[in-house]
Structures are given as C-alpha cells and as structure tokens.
Amino acid sequence: MRTVPLGTTGLQVPNVVLGVMRVADKTDEEIREWWAAARDAGVTFLDHADVYGGSMHRCEERFTEAVQLSPSERDAVTVQTKCGIVPEGPYFDFSYERITESVEGSLRALGTDRIDVLLLHRPDALVEPDEVARAFDELQSSGKVLHFGVSNHTPGQVELLQRSVRQPLVANQLQLSITHAPLVAQGVASNMQALDQSVARDTGTLDYCRLKDITVQAWSPFQAGFFSGVFLDDDRYPELNAVLDRLAAQYDVPKLAVATAWITRHPAQMQVVLGTTSPERVRAVAQGSDLPLTRAEWYELFRAAGYTVP
C-alpha cells in the first residue's frame, strides 16, 4: 500500500481510505471481516461522519461495537470524522456549539479519547470563521482533535476559514472519478471557446490544494456522476469499460484497481475514499494503490470517459 503525506502534518498515510458509511445494518461479523480485509491490504485510515447511518453517530457506534480496537490497534489507525450537516433540515451548521457537540458525540461513539482528523462536512453558507476558530482552538488544546480539514470546499472558502483558523487545513474531501472529473478536466481544455469542458466549475481547487499542501481525498471514486450509479460495466460507458478491461488484463488486476490507479497516479498524491462494505472490493481497490499507469494510459482512460484532450 503506497502512502502519501497528510497535508502539513508530517504524517504518511495510506492512499486508500476506508469510508465507514454503510455499516449500520451490517452484523458484527460482517464488519469484522470487512475491516480485516482492509487491514490485511494495508488500509489503516478510517473515514467516518456524524451523519452516517440513519441516526446521528450510528455508523461510528456500529464500527466500535463490532471491532473494539485495543489501545495499540487504535494508535496504528488514523481516525477521521466529519461534522456540520444537519440532516433534519437539511442544512449546514458550522457554529461553535454544533462543532463541539458533534465531536463529543463522535468521541463517545468511537470509544476513543481523540479524533485524528476532523473535517467540516460541506460548506456552510452562513459560516462565521471566528466561531470555527474558537471551536478548533478548544478542541486542539484539549487534545480531542489533532488535525483539521474540510470537505467539498472551494479555494475561496478555505481562504476565508484560514483568515481566522490558526490550524492548517490538511485535507479537502472532494468528489472525483474518471467520469466525474471537473477537478482536472477544465484545466486540460482551458480557454477553448464553446467547449463545455473548458467552463471552470471548481475554481482551480486541485491546483490550489497542491499549492497549499492540502491532501485531496477523492470520494465516490467509481460513481459516474453525482450519485448516478457506477461507471464500471455500465452500458453508458462502453469505450471506457473496454479500456478498463484491456488494462486490467494487461496488469493482471481487477477493473476496480485500474479505476483506482487513475486517481492515485495523479501527482497530487490523493487518497481514494471507499464506500464499499465488500471485503473483495476492498482487496481489489488496494491493488490499484500503486499501480504504475503510464501517462498514455492515464490520458487514454480520460478520453474514453468522454473528455476532450485538445
């Protein structure tokens, strides 16, 4: 399993992350089998959120009930969680009270004394950066949260937070797959009149994160679009799947590994966040962690997904 830097923390972490978002209805044995497959593959980074599981902190609770990490096992794992979504609205809340209450709930649900990384989960249009800064300062000084980041934030939103927040924001969790790639597609075809791909939809987020040493965590790495189903073996993407099949045979790996490698091959040293609860799929994705796609293969997949390479 290849490792990448986690922002400016000095930590090296796996470039594959286990998203703990679908375990609420799994048995203890199913969760343990899934976790064992991840650990055997070298995945030691867990991504939680307070809203995962149908009720607040439910997936955090279910993972802890099933796995019960020993102190040494806990020290060997990076635990990340997210806060800020109010599901009954739905709306977003980055107030001091909401952030600190969420962290207390996550600490109880996870059965731990600290969260390694806390992300703000989607932008709050009503954010008051000084409120966020007060929460972060209190959580860091008490040792309850070690590092902080964001999810789905633009460069301007990050800059606004950093005007008040003293801690570096070390990660930005963003949607990215071969077929959902506005993070990279616009830059490839910049300044091409009348080409939809050249329209800037993400305000240079990927380049900004690289410049600021913010680790990009790619969520929904196999989704065709915004929750529109996976592109693997989908009739909507015959050319892409033909290329994936050929490269999978060439490298003797599953197609999932090739789709993963398209993201991990990028020099931004991104992490891939998995939402699967299938041990088999976890093992397949892990094989793509350091698969050495060539430049030509990377661009071939990009073109086959429907993007323009001028």
Side-chain angles (χ1 to χ4, degrees):
M1 176 68 60
R2 184 157 64 87
T3 62
V4 295
L6 179 61
T8 57
T9 65
L11 298 174
Q12 288 288 130
V13 293
N15 66 352
V16 174
V17 173
L18 199 63
V20 190
M21 62 188 71
R22 295 189 175 95
V23 301
D25 60 351
K26 299 295 181 182
T27 67
D28 286 0
E29 185 56 36
E30 286 172 329
I31 296 171
R32 284 193 287 266
E33 182 184 0
W34 168 69
W35 172 236
R39 286 301 304 269
D40 289 347
V43 180
T44 57
F45 197 113
L46 293 167
D47 176 63
H48 292 273
D50 57 2
V51 294
Y52 290 161
S55 61
M56 293 300 290
H57 304 289
R58 184 55 183 153
C59 280
E60 293 171 329
E61 291 173 342
R62 283 298 299 125
F63 181 85
T64 302
E65 290 166 356
V67 176
Q68 299 183 12
L69 297 172
S70 69
S72 62
E73 289 171 330
R74 172 64 185 87
D75 290 341
V77 171
T78 302
V79 175
Q80 173 175 282
T81 196
K82 301 184 286 293
C83 68
I85 295 179
V86 181
E88 57 267 26
Y91 60 90
F92 310 109
D93 185 350
F94 289 175
S95 66
Y96 165 84
E97 291 80 12
R98 183 72 184 190
I99 293 171
T100 54
E101 288 173 7
S102 175
V103 168
E104 293 295 342
S106 290
L107 290 171
R108 288 192 297 270
L110 293 166
T112 187
D113 62 351
R114 85 277 186 192
I115 291 165
D116 297 301
V117 188
L118 176 69
L119 304 185
L120 298 178
H121 202 172
R122 293 198 173 276
D124 177 9
L126 303 181
V127 64
E128 297 182 46
D130 288 347
E131 286 266 297
V132 175
R134 182 159 70 101
F136 283 10
D137 283 345
E138 181 177 300
L139 293 169
Q140 185 182 58
S141 64
S142 64
K144 293 177 180 178
V145 178
L146 305 186
H147 306 290
F148 301 87
V150 294
S151 178
N152 306 295
H153 277 56
T154 68
Q157 289 165 337
V158 173
E159 288 287 332
L160 179 64
L161 287 170
Q162 289 282 203
R163 188 175 67 177
S164 298
V165 171
R166 296 185 306 108
Q167 299 81 3
L169 298 174
V170 303
N172 192 358
Q173 196 169 107
L174 302 158
Q175 185 174 5
L176 176 65
S177 72
I178 303 174
T179 54
H180 184 283
L183 288 175
V184 298
Q186 188 273 331
V188 170
S190 181
N191 197 35
M192 295 187 68
Q193 186 172 325
L195 180 65
D196 181 74
Q197 182 181 321
S198 70
V199 176
R201 290 183 169 85
D202 74 327
T203 59
T205 303
L206 181 56
D207 291 336
Y208 173 84
C209 288
R210 294 181 72 181
L211 286 166
K212 297 294 185 178
D213 295 317
I214 298 171
T215 298
V216 169
Q217 299 177 344
W219 60 269
S220 285
F222 312 118
Q223 279 283 326
F226 186 67
F227 299 111
S228 59
V230 298
F231 56 78
L232 296 161
D233 298 319
D234 190 298
D235 291 341
R236 292 173 294 174
Y237 300 96
E239 184 181 353
L240 174 59
N241 277 282
V243 177
L244 287 167
D245 283 332
R246 193 190 78 243
L247 292 175
Q250 175 184 318
Y251 285 104
D252 192 25
V253 296
K255 288 171 68 169
L256 277 170
V258 179
T260 300
W262 187 84
I263 298 172
T264 59
R265 167 64 178 83
H266 196 281
Q269 302 191 78
M270 294 181 270
Q271 293 179 289
V272 175
V273 183
L274 300 182
T276 183
T277 54
S278 162
E280 181 182 0
R281 289 178 184 170
V282 170
R283 287 188 284 266
V285 168
Q287 293 182 61
S289 165
D290 57 358
L291 190 68
L293 291 180
T294 67
R295 237 185 190 87
E297 290 165 346
W298 189 94
Y299 275 106
E300 182 183 13
L301 287 164
F302 185 68
R303 289 195 308 272
Y307 289 109
T308 297
V309 178

